[in-house]
Amino acid sequence: MKARHIDTLSKSEYSVLFHLINYNRLSALELSRILGYSRQNVSAILSRLVKKGYVVRLRVGKRVFYEPSSYGREYKPYPYKRFLLGKRAVITGASRGIGKAIALEFAEKGADVVINYRQVKHDPLAHEVAQEAKKYGVKVVVCRADISTENGVKKLYQATMEGLGGIDILVNNAGIIEPPADWLNLTRHAWLKTIDTNLYGAFLTTRYFAKPMLKQRYGKILYIASVWGTVGSANAPAYTASKSGILNLTKAMAKELAPYINVNAISPGNIDTDLTRAAGEEFIRDVIEQTPFKRLGTPKEVAKLAAFLVSSHASFITGAEVVIDGGFSLR
Ligand code: NAP
């Protein structure tokens, strides 16, 4: 048979083939549940793939399954890299740190991304992230908006709908530790600003973006919590309280939005970003000493976990907290 290139497949054909390669054998119904496509759409795509020789149809008793043909399997290495192809993702707080790494990881995996951030002075940083993401051939929208306010979230929602035409993945990553953060000096202003950004903001974005997800019966929501939300931080009570709140918000929203939307949380330990560096050298020395892996984590390590959790590889995971901390919270 004459060699054909994967590019001859549409995004949805490619996605179906990719999942058949991963799972080996699936029915049209199973595929439609994992991918969030309608049953009719999946059946039409499967018929085309069978006709093109990428997929074979099998009858087992009364049931019909699909498997990749040996020709279809040849494309295994390439689809593995682009497992978010065609998905539309919003990442809050993506101008730097963990959010930036997540946006770039998603773009590399094929997703269109919205880069959100708050400060005017970080316009150039956000545009640099956008330039880097565009190298992966995906659509990129840059949106400066304060997600701790309803107006900010509305602006982000509108920019997403206009720029990408919809949403499949929401990553609630934006977070702050507003000074003064220690319990003796913490002001009402600092308390409210931290809670408004880390907890209320994450809830507001969820409320806006979950609606189109529910309508299309498909979506992934990921919260970036923190191990401090469980173990308690001695010098940042508002931050710690906001992160414990996020962990329970994850469970509440996972129940509210089931069965079509997966809602999960990542709890990073100490990751090498501006937020951690702002705590000072002594803090960093201490936490490295308390981490069995004896180092800070990298934003890229968190981003790889995020890509897994919003992908179809994690289709049956919801309401979960995944800790990534080099063993820091082991006691
Ligand atoms: P970072 O480097 O300080 O970056 C924070 C990001 O959030 C920036 O892009 C910032 O935008 C954005 N942001 C802040 N307030 C916002 C608002 N109201 N609206 C929109 N965007 C806003 O922080 P990071 O270390 O990457 O942390 C990211 C997330 O991981 C946070 O939720 C944090 O709590 C969590 N986390 C971090 C660690 C760690 O060790 N670093 C550990 C556990 C959890 P600007 O650039 O415009 O300021």
Side-chain angles (χ1 to χ4, degrees), residues 73-110:
R73 277 180 211 279
E74 281 174 30
Y75 292 100
K76 192 169 179 175
Y78 181 58
Y80 258 93
K81 267 186 97 174
R82 304 279 281 177
F83 62 75
L84 295 180
L85 192 78
K87 299 297 179 207
R88 300 154 300 181
V90 171
I91 302 101
T92 67
S95 54
R96 50 205 173 96
I98 294 171
K100 170 182 174 178
I102 292 177
L104 293 176
E105 186 70 21
F106 285 12
E108 188 185 350
K109 299 284 176 276

Side-chain angles (χ1 to χ4, degrees), residues 91-102 115-123 125-126 143-149 152 156 172-177 193 196-198 201 223-229 239 242-243 246 266-278 283 296-297 299 302 324:
I91 302 101
T92 67
S95 54
R96 50 205 173 96
I98 294 171
K100 170 182 174 178
I102 292 177
I115 314 282
N116 159 255
Y117 61 108
R118 182 177 59 92
Q119 303 186 76
V120 185
K121 71 173 183 194
H122 288 157
D123 282 352
L125 290 183
C143 178
R144 173 157 48 77
D146 181 350
I147 57 88
S148 69
T149 67
L156 180 60
N172 285 301
N173 164 79
I176 55 165
I177 303 181
K193 194 159 177 198
D196 273 355
T197 306
N198 299 2
Y223 294 100
I224 307 299
S226 170
V227 288
W228 295 114
Y239 180 79
S242 72
K243 293 300 180 179
I246 283 289
I266 291 181
S267 281
N270 298 287
I271 310 298
D272 193 355
T273 68
D274 294 346
L275 191 104
T276 301
R277 296 269 158 211
F283 169 82
L296 298 179
V302 181
I324 173 166

Side-chain angles (χ1 to χ4, degrees), residues 4-250:
R4 284 164 291 187
H5 194 264
I6 193 79
D7 285 346
T8 59
L9 298 185
S10 71
K11 278 186 184 175
S12 49
E13 289 170 346
Y14 175 92
S15 200
V16 165
L17 175 62
F18 165 63
H19 282 81
L20 286 175
I21 290 168
N22 270 342
Y23 288 82
N24 194 37
R25 180 184 289 184
L26 289 170
S27 68
L29 182 63
E30 286 165 337
L31 265 166
S32 75
R33 287 197 175 139
I34 291 172
L35 288 166
Y37 299 164
S38 72
R39 176 75 194 274
Q40 292 92 320
N41 194 3
V42 166
S43 299
I45 294 167
L46 282 166
S47 302
R48 290 202 297 276
L49 286 170
V50 169
K51 218 167 154 191
K52 289 178 182 182
Y54 288 97
V55 166
V56 288
R57 187 182 274 120
L58 297 167
R59 187 171 283 279
V60 182
K62 283 187 177 165
R63 298 187 65 194
V64 174
F65 290 95
Y66 295 85
E67 273 186 12
S69 65
S70 54
Y71 177 69
R73 277 180 211 279
E74 281 174 30
Y75 292 100
K76 192 169 179 175
Y78 181 58
Y80 258 93
K81 267 186 97 174
R82 304 279 281 177
F83 62 75
L84 295 180
L85 192 78
K87 299 297 179 207
R88 300 154 300 181
V90 171
I91 302 101
T92 67
S95 54
R96 50 205 173 96
I98 294 171
K100 170 182 174 178
I102 292 177
L104 293 176
E105 186 70 21
F106 285 12
E108 188 185 350
K109 299 284 176 276
D112 297 330
V113 289
V114 179
I115 314 282
N116 159 255
Y117 61 108
R118 182 177 59 92
Q119 303 186 76
V120 185
K121 71 173 183 194
H122 288 157
D123 282 352
L125 290 183
H127 285 280
E128 269 171 37
V129 180
Q131 284 314 316
E132 222 177 302
K134 278 181 190 159
K135 288 185 193 151
Y136 297 110
V138 299
K139 277 193 208 157
V140 181
V141 173
V142 175
C143 178
R144 173 157 48 77
D146 181 350
I147 57 88
S148 69
T149 67
E150 180 126 16
N151 278 345
V153 173
K154 259 189 208 158
K155 183 178 169 192
L156 180 60
Y157 180 84
Q158 277 158 6
T160 304
M161 294 304 147
E162 278 162 26
L164 304 186
I167 175 146
D168 302 297
I169 301 167
L170 168 65
V171 182
N172 285 301
N173 164 79
I176 55 165
I177 303 181
E178 181 67 12
D182 63 293
W183 72 279
L184 276 175
N185 296 305
L186 183 66
T187 57
R188 181 167 167 76
H189 170 80
W191 171 274
L192 290 179
K193 194 159 177 198
T194 304
I195 300 287
D196 273 355
T197 306
N198 299 2
L199 190 54
Y200 184 59
F203 172 68
L204 266 182
T205 51
T206 303
R207 194 156 64 188
Y208 271 76
F209 287 105
K211 286 178 188 162
M213 288 181 184
L214 283 172
K215 212 165 168 192
Q216 72 197 8
R217 297 184 163 195
Y218 180 88
K220 312 281 174 189
I221 297 178
L222 186 62
Y223 294 100
I224 307 299
S226 170
V227 288
W228 295 114
T230 307
V231 304
S233 165
N235 54 7
Y239 180 79
T240 301
S242 72
K243 293 300 180 179
S244 338
I246 283 289
L247 289 172
N248 266 304
L249 180 65
T250 303

